[in-house]
Amino acid sequence: GHIYASCEMTTSSSRALPANVTYSNLGGCVFVIYRPESCLDQPMDFTGLHEVVKYNDSQLPVRYYDPDTTEPIICGLNSLDDLLSWKRSEAHLFNVSTVPLSPRDPPLSRTALRTLVSHDMMGGYLDDRYQMRHKYLMSSTTPASPLPSLIIFVLRFLQGSDSDQPYSFYHWQHIDIFNYFTHNMVTIPPAGWTNAAHRHGVLVLGTFITEWTEGGKACEAFLKDEESYRTVADKLVQICHCYGFDGWLINIENELSATAVKKMPLFLRYLTEQTHERVSGGLVLWYDSVLETGRLVWQNELNEHNRLFFDVCDGFFTNYNWTEQNLEWMASYSGVQGRQADVYIGVDVFARGEVVGGMYDTNKALEMIRKHNFSAAIFAPGWVYETQERTQFRHNQDKFWSLLSDHLPIHRPVSSLPFTSTFCQGFGKALYWRGRGPSWLKTRACPDEVWTGGSSLLIEGLIRQSGPRCGCPVSPPPLQVLFSVACPPHLECPCLFTVSPVALDEGHHVVTQFSQMCGLHSENGWTVRCSLLEGQDCSLREVFVNIHREGEPQDMPFSCRLGQIMNFWVHFDSAPDRIEGLCIYDVVWLRGADAATDSHPRGLLLNATLRWVFKPELVTHYRVHWRRLRGPDPRVPAEPLQLVSRAYAQLFRLTELPVPGPPALLELVVEPVLRSGFTLPQSQWGRAKLSYSQEQRQED
């Protein structure tokens, strides 16, 4: 549910409250607690719902749901009126981030050379405006095999994309701030981006932009007096807090009147103060645009004409047409001293206009920026996806970021055990589940042989005759490590993959207990190995893969895969509680492609929202299943569970799921995938039943 606070409301009214609204008075402040009436009013022991199939138009709000498919969609706010009329009670629950910002090492406050990425790609809100894009499975499969229908889940999207070659960003260790940019007046980052960034300790900023004549009118309206600019700032802070991102980039791309430009620093100061107060670690940045006079003249540097905006917020994002002379001047400018890390030098990857670097020469701009000890703002790195061959996206993306890597300090998220990773970058060709010079070594994501998810870690290299081994780091923290390694039959892998300390025997009590709790065994060409590390008053910084040669000295190429790594304390915790309160609501029925008549529909598509309660800190994601328990023909037995997709929140929208015609009884099942890697017994999964029948028509 949502909790809203107000110091102006009273509970003296004699009107009866709706069942889904309660008031609580605490310290003179009235809290209004609101829950979606169709779901959370259902009792916690709710197990079923009955529906009469009717083909009515969806009543879901069109700004949040596609009117044709009922898919949840994301959009920004296009006008000042949209912003001022925004209410928490009408927030889009599917776009609320579910992942808090992870602590990182080193923290942002101790990072002198910071990197911001401004994601401006083809106007924004493209595939990632959809919270769910996938194909459903209509046949049962063995869990170790790749699923026959295409299901692509993209971690930056809440519920996935139907493209096996989407734009994906996975170099989070190199950046500190991620800005989602569009030309909507208010750009709210999609929750999938916020979740992915937060997992890696990266802050996420939305964008507030005004442009052209209409932008000028909006600025004159909200900067006319203190009450007006405070109202706009309050709305921006409320939106940021509600959706779980971390602050704003303010971009004023129009001229301001004398009155408006005088109020702008006051607005910026108030917005920054309120963001700091309401959002932990929150930031407000200003883009190099208008001057102290109100004129729109990009300076390509911080100077005395725009410093008044920098002085009242957290940072300054310069325009892109700077030269080294601008950097040299700023390095000695008194207005920068002590805050050099807060000046982000803009780099346009598209290289529009007179710029340094850009495209695959972006590293030249980064080298110059770091030479003068400034932070960097990389604008539109989606150039790699927009302009290059998309079938080579992984290769091109890795090429682009590897060229920059010498100028990008690395940070890593700090997390407690357990720690697990399947090396999945969030997209691939199919969804898998458990299987299916000198010496050199390199690693890359590979979608062809996968243990879990959409990719594994492919390790390739060459052991020279003169050297018996080579290795690479694959993970931070932990104390006990599980390796799942594969050498597919069509690849030569004559070298040994070893674990140090020595892998435990399969009969070891730790291995036995581990296998029982997480259900992992060597299967389908994959080898599972456990190794026990013992220590006291120490921390483990990295885990390395070491590969060595046996036999006669000779040059030996090799290739193998790492499918999963798990790190956890040897004292296993007991399984957590079960999923509670799985409920079904906002049901919409659609006709399928093979629909016959209203009285005998063969093609029936189910659209519905599922919601449940579980401890979010215990899971990486959820697997959503369904099955038919009973159909029109009672002689047909119940079907096995079929996977629908993954969910990354305790909320999931089924869209266009083909189901049997009425009357029928379905079961919808939610399986938590635990951070520990352990398997939760099916008895603790969430289950709910949906029965439905045909609408009865009266005879004339």
Side-chain angles (χ1 to χ4, degrees):
H2 301 284
I3 300 178
Y4 314 115
S6 171
C7 294
E8 300 174 359
M9 301 183 62
T10 67
T11 57
S12 59
S13 173
S14 60
R15 292 179 297 172
L17 298 177
N20 62 327
V21 175
T22 57
Y23 290 145
S24 176
N25 193 312
L26 181 62
C29 199
V30 178
F31 289 85
V32 184
I33 304 175
Y34 165 81
R35 298 185 179 91
E37 186 172 6
S38 55
C39 174
L40 295 184
D41 279 353
Q42 299 170 3
M44 290 296 286
D45 59 354
F46 168 84
T47 59
L49 176 72
H50 180 77
E51 280 276 322
V52 175
V53 176
K54 298 179 181 179
Y55 300 105
N56 298 327
D57 292 337
S58 169
Q59 300 302 306
L60 298 172
V62 295
R63 60 178 172 170
Y64 292 154
Y65 297 89
D66 186 288
D68 297 323
T69 66
T70 80
E71 293 178 84
I73 60 176
I74 307 167
C75 59
L77 305 177
N78 293 317
S79 69
L80 188 60
D81 287 342
D82 288 344
L83 174 61
L84 296 176
S85 62
W86 183 88
K87 300 176 182 177
R88 281 180 177 267
S89 59
E90 299 173 0
H92 191 11
L93 297 182
F94 277 91
N95 198 37
V96 175
S97 170
T98 58
V99 179
L101 182 65
S102 172
R104 44 168 280 183
D105 180 28
L108 185 64
S109 60
R110 296 213 317 264
T111 303
L113 302 177
R114 301 171 186 170
T115 305
L116 178 150
V117 160
S118 188
H119 177 66
D120 174 29
M121 195 174 76
M122 302 165 65
Y125 292 132
L126 302 172
D127 263 358
D128 51 6
R129 73 189 286 263
Y130 286 91
Q131 297 294 345
M132 174 165 56
R133 305 278 289 184
H134 54 248
K135 309 294 184 185
Y136 291 105
L137 301 178
M138 293 306 296
S139 60
S140 60
T141 60
T142 58
S145 303
L147 304 178
S149 290
L150 178 66
I151 298 186
I152 303 303
F153 53 96
V154 185
L155 293 179
R156 70 182 192 280
F157 306 157
L158 191 61
Q159 293 185 177
S161 167
D162 61 4
S163 171
D164 63 346
Q165 295 175 348
Y167 177 77
S168 179
F169 181 79
Y170 45 86
H171 293 84
W172 296 104
Q173 76 275 17
H174 287 308
I175 76 168
D176 305 289
I177 302 168
F178 179 86
N179 163 237
Y180 194 87
F181 185 93
T182 76
H183 288 274
N184 293 268
M185 176 176 282
V186 179
T187 297
I188 301 170
W193 282 106
T194 306
N195 289 340
H198 280 181
R199 286 190 181 95
H200 295 85
V202 174
L203 294 171
V204 177
L205 305 184
T207 304
F208 178 72
I209 184 172
T210 61
E211 301 177 279
W212 311 108
T213 303
E214 290 303 313
K217 293 178 180 178
C219 288
E220 297 305 314
F222 84 84
L223 293 171
K224 63 183 179 181
D225 53 41
E226 181 178 359
E227 181 181 0
S228 298
Y229 73 68
R230 283 183 173 237
T231 299
V232 167
D234 288 341
K235 288 291 184 180
L236 292 174
V237 174
Q238 290 167 19
I239 289 172
C240 182
H241 185 270
C242 173
Y243 287 112
F245 57 99
D246 308 295
W248 295 97
L249 171 65
I250 307 300
N251 187 0
I252 306 300
E253 300 271 2
N254 48 258
E255 298 206 347
L256 300 175
S257 68
T259 299
V261 76
K262 183 178 179 180
K263 295 291 192 302
M264 181 60 77
L266 302 177
F267 160 73
L268 200 56
R269 181 190 296 277
Y270 179 73
L271 173 63
T272 302
E273 291 173 347
Q274 292 302 304
T275 300
H276 290 174
E277 183 175 339
R278 306 295 180 185
V279 180
S280 178
L283 288 178
V284 176
L285 304 185
W286 174 263
Y287 182 74
D288 171 14
S289 52
V290 297
L291 309 181
E292 58 185 352
T293 61
R295 293 182 60 212
L296 178 62
V297 183
W298 297 272
Q299 298 293 284
N300 302 299
E301 66 180 19
L302 177 66
N303 57 35
E304 63 274 13
H305 299 302
N306 50 33
R307 176 183 170 180
L308 74 166
F309 305 112
F310 174 63
D311 288 344
V312 294
C313 69
D314 297 306
F316 186 88
F317 183 150
T318 76
N319 194 45
Y320 313 105
N321 304 115
W322 48 268
T323 65
E324 186 166 16
Q325 287 70 32
N326 294 113
L327 303 184
E328 291 172 345
W329 185 87
M330 277 193 294
S332 61
Y333 176 45
S334 61
V336 172
Q337 303 311 309
R339 293 189 62 189
Q340 207 153 337
D342 297 332
V343 179
Y344 298 82
I345 308 301
V347 179
D348 182 5
V349 178
F350 277 81
R352 289 163 285 206
E354 296 295 325
V355 300
V356 176
M359 304 184 192
Y360 284 125
D361 287 329
T362 299
N363 58 307
K364 296 179 180 178
L366 264 291
E367 181 179 8
M368 192 176 294
I369 292 168
R370 300 312 195 198
K371 173 184 174 182
H372 296 282
N373 296 313
F374 286 106
S375 294
I378 302 173
F379 185 76
W383 170 86
V384 175
Y385 186 79
E386 291 187 52
T387 66
Q388 307 296 291
E389 176 55 53
R390 293 188 181 180
T391 59
Q392 297 297 312
F393 170 66
R394 287 182 194 261
H395 171 77
N396 294 330
Q397 179 84 324
D398 291 342
K399 174 184 175 181
F400 177 83
W401 287 96
S402 65
L403 289 170
L404 305 183
S405 61
D406 288 344
H407 311 293
L408 299 176
I410 291 177
H411 65 82
R412 65 186 72 199
V414 177
S415 62
S416 58
L417 296 181
F419 170 84
T420 66
S421 176
T422 61
F423 309 102
C424 176
Q425 292 179 333
F427 63 102
K429 298 178 180 179
L431 178 60
Y432 290 77
W433 179 246
R434 294 183 177 176
R436 318 169 268 244
S439 298
W440 59 269
L441 180 149
K442 64 180 180 180
T443 62
R444 62 181 174 89
C446 179
D448 297 323
E449 300 284 344
V450 183
W451 172 251
T452 295
S455 58
S456 59
L457 185 69
L458 177 61
I459 305 172
E460 300 173 299
L462 175 68
I463 301 178
R464 291 291 187 188
Q465 178 179 350
S466 58
R469 68 176 66 239
C470 58
C472 70
V474 295
S475 159
L479 274 201
Q480 181 160 324
V481 181
L482 165 69
F483 293 103
S484 303
V485 185
C487 295
H490 58 278
L491 292 177
E492 291 293 329
C493 189
C495 50
L496 286 180
F497 181 94
T498 61
V499 179
S500 178
V502 176
L504 301 175
D505 294 333
E506 291 188 8
H508 193 284
H509 72 279
V510 171
V511 178
T512 301
Q513 187 178 5
F514 167 81
S515 299
Q516 291 174 347
M517 296 195 69
C518 68
L520 287 181
H521 306 277
S522 297
E523 54 185 322
N524 302 299
W526 292 84
T527 301
V528 176
R529 297 181 181 177
C530 294
S531 180
L532 183 64
L533 305 180
E534 296 183 275
Q536 186 174 1
D537 298 329
C538 62
S539 61
L540 186 59
R541 298 284 297 180
E542 290 183 323
V543 176
F544 274 76
V545 172
N546 286 303
I547 298 176
H548 67 89
R549 179 187 59 239
E550 286 189 343
E552 294 296 323
Q554 58 181 325
D555 288 353
M556 180 177 290
F558 64 87
S559 175
C560 61
R561 286 173 173 79
L562 195 60
Q564 183 174 20
I565 183 170
M566 303 173 63
N567 314 267
F568 46 87
W569 300 108
V570 71
H571 47 84
F572 304 106
D573 295 327
S574 58
D577 295 336
R578 58 179 294 163
I579 281 183
E580 299 285 354
L582 176 59
C583 57
I584 308 166
Y585 64 104
D586 284 343
V587 176
V588 177
W589 299 98
L590 299 175
R591 292 183 175 88
D594 62 341
T597 65
D598 286 350
S599 58
H600 294 89
R602 290 195 302 271
L604 185 60
L605 303 178
L606 170 64
N607 305 267
T609 296
L610 307 181
R611 192 167 183 174
W612 58 91
V613 178
F614 197 69
K615 295 179 180 179
E617 67 274 12
L618 299 180
V619 299
T620 60
H621 61 276
Y622 303 88
R623 288 160 53 88
V624 179
H625 311 263
W626 81 282
R627 65 172 173 166
R628 178 187 58 79
L629 292 178
R630 187 174 65 248
D633 187 347
R635 296 170 297 179
V636 178
E639 297 175 344
L641 288 177
Q642 300 179 49
L643 178 66
V644 174
S645 188
R646 288 185 171 190
Y648 290 89
Q650 298 176 26
L651 187 71
F652 185 79
R653 182 72 184 170
L654 295 168
T655 61
E656 298 185 310
L657 175 65
V659 297
L665 175 64
L666 310 179
E667 183 178 39
L668 299 166
V669 179
V670 176
E671 170 196 1
V673 178
L674 304 179
R675 288 185 62 229
S676 64
F678 297 149
T679 301
L680 195 67
Q682 288 199 27
S683 60
Q684 294 175 249
W685 297 3
R687 297 176 182 270
K689 296 176 182 177
L690 172 65
S691 63
Y692 52 95
S693 58
Q694 184 66 36
E695 182 179 14
Q696 299 298 318
R697 294 181 176 274
Q698 295 182 349
E699 298 295 335
D700 293 335

